[in-house]
């Protein structure tokens, strides 16, 4: 079930972080919400070696994991420069795999043509996920 209050608060927190961390030029922020009602944030980790970069929301997921909290929502928000509109980025395949740790019911913000804030369950992005090949009891140790 969607929780618009959490979704709006995540968006507000992401905008606030982008404006503080990236006052001009490109900016991006990730926010996760947890079952303990905490919000964790992170930013893109850039590196001259592209293989060492980390997705925008990775740090926020790691904070939730560090405190042993179940992620319920995930948002990745960017802007091209300080005069551009904000855009939601759906989680990439790697981040989908990371979020799967907390189950298929995690609500993830997705990119829409209408540029509206929309969250869907992770299972919506992964109807043919590879874990469907295994019995649930074999996968129990992978989820929080």
């Amino acid at each position: 079930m969607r929780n618009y209050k959490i979704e709006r608060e995540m968006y507000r927190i992401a905008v606030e972080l982008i404006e503080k961390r990236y006052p001009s030029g490109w900016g991006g922020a990730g926010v996760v919400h947890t079952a303990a009602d905490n919000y964790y944030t992170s930013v893109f980790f850039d590196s001259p070696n592209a293989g060492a970069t980390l997705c925008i929301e990775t740090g926020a997921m790691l904070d939730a994991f560090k405190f042993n909290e179940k992620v319920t929502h995930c948002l990745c928000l960017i802007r091209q420069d300080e005069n551009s509109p904000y855009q939601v980025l759906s989680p990439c395949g790697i981040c989908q795999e990371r979020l799967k740790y907390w189950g298929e019911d995690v609500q993830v913000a997705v990119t829409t043509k209408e540029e509206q804030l929309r969250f869907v369950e992770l299972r919506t992005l992964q109807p043919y996920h590879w874990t469907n090949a295994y019995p649930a009891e074999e996968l129990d140790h992978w989820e929080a």
Side-chain angles (χ1 to χ4, degrees), residues 72-89:
T72 63
H73 295 73
C74 183
L75 166 71
C76 179
L77 191 68
I78 66 160
R79 64 149 200 245
Q80 297 304 318
D81 61 49
E82 66 275 15
N83 299 311
S84 298
Y86 288 97
Q87 299 172 290
V88 171
L89 296 182

Side-chain angles (χ1 to χ4, degrees), residues 12-24 27-29 79 82 86:
R12 185 196 68 74
I13 290 169
V15 168
E16 184 178 279
L17 178 55
I18 291 169
E19 291 177 357
K20 181 178 180 180
R21 175 65 174 80
Y22 306 99
S24 62
R79 64 149 200 245
E82 66 275 15
Y86 288 97

Side-chain angles (χ1 to χ4, degrees), residues 86-132:
Y86 288 97
Q87 299 172 290
V88 171
L89 296 182
S90 300
C92 73
I94 299 296
C95 284
Q96 289 179 42
E97 292 294 323
R98 292 171 180 146
L99 290 166
K100 180 92 169 154
Y101 174 81
W102 292 285
E104 296 180 323
D105 61 337
V106 174
Q107 296 287 316
V108 296
V110 293
T111 306
T112 64
K113 289 184 180 183
E114 300 82 24
E115 295 185 16
Q116 63 186 19
L117 186 58
R118 180 174 179 207
F119 283 74
V120 301
E121 287 186 338
L122 182 60
R123 70 174 44 91
T124 303
L125 299 180
Q126 302 179 326
Y128 305 103
H129 193 267
W130 63 268
T131 54
N132 293 336

